[in-house]
């Protein structure tokens, strides 16, 4: 490797360990996870707990590995996931903090749910009998979180008399214990916070009614997602749920990261598999939508939409090689795509590092940029990086594979 070829610091340092990862890999910086959690925690009302949202395999970053980091943070109450299967994966990984399932839990898993102390979100009256039976069979009191719909229009009880009757029904069941109550903002990531504020008002009023009319103060009341954590300190309550910002990504381009120290956790790397020069009139990739106007040096990158790299970046995206931006030419294929490296010739070589997401030299490609260009958004892009891309982990500045 000649000295003018800019590699990421990561590849320079771990050249030996990274053998076998040439086709492509994602680096997950677990130190950045801790940094991002700390940065959010610094802004919270003292005593506010945090829930790490690690659904969809930790937004594609690796749920169990991230859970292990969160397990050590005393202000982190536990983990939020989307399904029973995700919850069990954390249990099997040996994580001991509480796990909350944010979505609906179907009856087939009640037995295992109760045995493993996994907290379901409850909002359907027809589910309560089954949950009670499972709790009784497990010989446990099952902790649940009531889900309230204050404007998201997705799942949850209504914050009115009917909702209050539901809470009462849960309260009288000795097999169940209401540990938490929560709602979810639909529009906290917008400049205009009026809708989110209205949701917060409805939620606080409803919690107040439970206390006053049913005589129960729910121990953990929570509503904020990342956008709420960043811009609605009045919504902290007892706990907040940190999702996208845990990964150093932004909830939207309408929220400001000022005062926060968020570091992106994931970067995506590959290596040039082939270089050739094509001449004016020659086309590249399916459909022949790119035709060279002049001699062009073309590098092939051995990742594609089968790895979760969006096909919609065709004709729009770029990658970093030698610290410079190289435009994607022709359609992105399932397993490969091509970039124009004419500007880097003749120094550019097969085997040179390619950064698809992250920093190299002075240039940086963010998930936000890829999200915008591909018509996916940043959340979706990282979630969909496929299993075919191995994740390698950095902790305390060291590589753990
Ligand atoms: C996904 C999710 C979150 C996290 O949202 P972010 O915008 O990623 O912070 C919080 N709460 C609920 C109910 C969710 O479904």
């Amino acid at each position: 490797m000649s000295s003018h070829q800019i590699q990421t610091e990561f590849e320079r340092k771990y050249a030996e360990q990274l053998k076998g990862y040439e086709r492509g890999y994602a680096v997950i910086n677990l130190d950045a996870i801790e940094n991002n959690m700390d940065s959010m925690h610094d802004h919270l009302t003292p005593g506010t707990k945090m829930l790490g949202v690690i659904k969809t395999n930790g937004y594609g970053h690796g749920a169990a590995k991230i859970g292990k980091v969160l397990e050590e943070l005393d202000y982190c109450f536990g983990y939020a996931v989307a399904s029973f299967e995700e919850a069990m994966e954390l249990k099997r990984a040996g994580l001991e903090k509480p796990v909350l399932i944010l979505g609906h839990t179907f009856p087939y898993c009640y037995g295992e749910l109760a045995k493993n102390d996994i907290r379901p979100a409850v909002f359907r009256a027809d589910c309560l009998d089954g949950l009670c039976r499972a709790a009784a069979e497990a010989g446990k009191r099952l902790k649940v979180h009531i889900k309230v719909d204050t404007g998201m229009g997705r799942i949850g009880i209504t914050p009115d008399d009917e909702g209050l009757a539901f809470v009462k029904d849960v309260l009288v069941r000795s097999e169940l214990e209401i540990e938490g109550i929560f709602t979810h903002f639909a529009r906290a990531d917008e400049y205009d916070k009026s809708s989110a504020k209205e949701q917060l008002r409805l939620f606080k009023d409803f919690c107040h009614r439970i206390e006053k009319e049913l005589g129960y103060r729910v121990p953990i009341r929570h509503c904020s997602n990342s956008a709420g954590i960043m811009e609605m300190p009045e919504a902290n309550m007892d706990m907040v749920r940190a999702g996208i910002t845990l990964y150093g990504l932004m909830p939207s381009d309408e929220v400001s990261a000022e005062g926060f120290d968020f570091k992106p956790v994931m970067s995506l790397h590959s290596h040039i598999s082939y270089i050739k020069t094509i001449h004016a009139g020659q086309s590249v990739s399916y459909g022949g939508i790119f035709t060279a106007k002049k001699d062009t040096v073309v590098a092939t990158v051995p990742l594609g939409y089968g790895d979760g790299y969006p096909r919609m970046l065709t004709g729009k995206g770029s990658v970093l090689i030698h610290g410079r931006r190289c435009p994607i030419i022709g359609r992105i294929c399932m397993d490969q795509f091509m970039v124009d490296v004419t500007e880097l010739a003749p120094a550019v070589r097969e085997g040179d590092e390619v950064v698809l997401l992250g920093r190299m030299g002075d240039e940086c490609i963010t998930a936000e940029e890829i999200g915008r260009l591909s018509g996916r958004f940043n959340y979706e892009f990282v979630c969909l990086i496929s299993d075919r891309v191995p994740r390698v982990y950095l902790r305390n500045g060291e590589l753990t594979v």
Side-chain angles (χ1 to χ4, degrees):
M1 209 62 74
S2 53
S3 59
H4 63 266
Q5 289 173 330
I6 300 173
Q7 289 173 281
T8 53
E9 190 190 331
F10 188 77
E11 285 221 337
R12 271 201 308 276
K13 187 164 174 195
Y14 294 110
E16 272 309 303
Q17 291 96 314
L18 287 171
K19 290 213 167 85
Y21 292 87
E22 284 83 350
R23 195 182 77 87
Y25 62 91
V27 180
I28 308 300
N29 183 348
L30 296 174
D31 298 334
I33 288 279
E34 186 171 345
N35 170 83
N36 297 339
M37 282 293 275
D38 283 345
S39 181
M40 283 183 270
H41 184 245
D42 287 346
H43 283 75
L44 299 177
T45 318
T48 310
K49 296 178 180 56
M50 295 185 78
L51 197 62
V53 182
I54 53 177
K55 57 195 180 188
T56 316
N57 193 28
Y59 292 40
H61 293 66
K65 294 275 190 186
I66 287 164
K68 285 254 157 65
V69 176
L70 303 185
E71 191 92 347
E72 307 302 320
L73 305 177
D74 57 359
Y75 55 75
C76 180
F77 171 77
Y79 318 103
V81 295
S83 70
F84 166 74
E85 285 71 19
E86 290 182 340
M88 283 307 291
E89 191 193 325
L90 301 183
K91 294 287 171 190
R92 277 193 295 269
L95 298 177
E96 290 179 352
K97 286 186 175 178
V99 183
L100 167 66
I101 301 174
L102 296 167
H104 173 61
T105 305
F106 291 84
Y108 71 88
C109 30
Y110 289 173
E112 287 299 308
L113 185 92
K115 274 185 218 150
N116 288 283
D117 300 308
I118 297 166
R119 281 71 162 162
V122 296
F123 52 93
R124 269 173 57 173
D126 64 324
C127 296
L128 297 179
D129 287 345
L131 285 170
C132 288
R133 266 196 308 277
E137 272 164 32
K140 301 202 177 192
R141 211 162 168 226
L142 181 64
K143 294 190 171 74
V144 301
H145 288 229
I146 306 269
K147 180 68 194 281
V148 187
D149 182 4
T150 54
M152 178 70 180
R154 191 165 64 180
I155 51 172
I157 58 167
T158 43
D160 54 14
D161 290 344
E162 203 183 321
L164 201 69
F166 175 84
V167 176
K168 193 173 173 186
D169 189 11
V170 180
L171 276 174
V172 298
R173 294 168 186 260
S174 58
E175 301 90 340
L176 305 181
E177 174 185 340
I178 303 179
E179 177 183 58
I181 185 167
F182 70 113
T183 195
H184 189 49
F185 292 136
R187 304 177 63 179
D189 60 341
E190 299 178 11
Y191 290 125
D192 180 354
K193 295 284 188 278
S194 51
S195 160
K197 282 186 172 153
E198 177 59 11
Q199 283 194 262
L200 177 60
R201 189 189 66 77
L202 287 168
F203 184 61
K204 284 188 166 170
D205 284 355
F206 189 60
C207 291
H208 191 71
R209 279 193 72 186
I210 294 171
E211 214 170 319
K212 228 177 85 198
E213 296 176 38
L214 305 179
Y216 186 72
R217 189 193 176 287
V218 181
I220 309 177
R221 299 158 302 179
H222 48 114
C223 54
S224 266
N225 53 3
S226 297
I229 292 169
M230 293 175 73
E231 299 198 322
M232 297 181 67
E234 71 274 29
N236 283 173
M237 303 187 79
D238 302 304
M239 185 164 76
V240 295
R241 304 186 300 272
I244 198 76
T245 40
L246 173 54
Y247 310 98
L249 306 179
M250 288 297 105
S252 78
D253 49 20
E254 292 189 23
V255 298
S256 162
E258 215 181 294
F260 291 88
D261 170 33
F262 290 132
K263 295 193 167 71
V265 173
M266 184 193 287
S267 60
L268 195 55
H269 308 247
S270 182
H271 298 89
I272 296 174
S273 60
Y274 192 55
I275 293 181
K276 64 183 174 291
T277 300
I278 59 170
H279 306 293
Q282 273 184 275
S283 295
V284 170
S285 195
Y286 291 118
I289 61 167
F290 172 87
T291 303
K293 293 194 182 64
K294 56 180 174 56
D295 283 3
T296 304
V297 184
V298 178
T300 301
V301 180
L303 290 179
Y305 63 81
D307 301 286
Y309 193 66
R311 184 170 177 271
M312 279 294 288
L313 289 176
T314 297
K316 295 177 186 158
S318 54
V319 300
L320 306 179
I321 301 171
H322 294 199
R324 301 264 294 273
R325 274 184 185 260
C326 303
I328 294 169
I329 55 174
R331 276 201 191 126
I332 291 172
C333 312
M334 189 186 294
D335 322 297
Q336 314 180 56
F337 64 94
M338 277 61 78
V339 296
D340 182 344
V341 291
T342 310
E343 303 266 295
L344 301 177
V348 66
R349 294 276 187 276
E350 287 158 359
D352 284 356
E353 185 181 3
V354 181
V355 169
L356 293 79
L357 170 72
R359 178 170 290 284
M360 189 185 219
D362 297 329
E363 282 283 355
C364 184
I365 294 174
T366 63
E368 285 72 25
E369 175 187 333
I370 292 179
R372 204 160 39 239
L373 289 175
S374 65
R376 274 190 199 168
F377 81 146
N378 55 348
Y379 288 63
E380 193 180 351
F381 170 60
V382 286
C383 278
L384 294 184
I385 296 299
S386 75
D387 286 349
R388 198 164 74 174
V389 179
R391 273 71 165 166
V392 301
Y393 293 88
L394 261 183
R395 184 61 171 146
N396 303 318
E398 292 301 323
L399 176 65
T400 63
V401 200

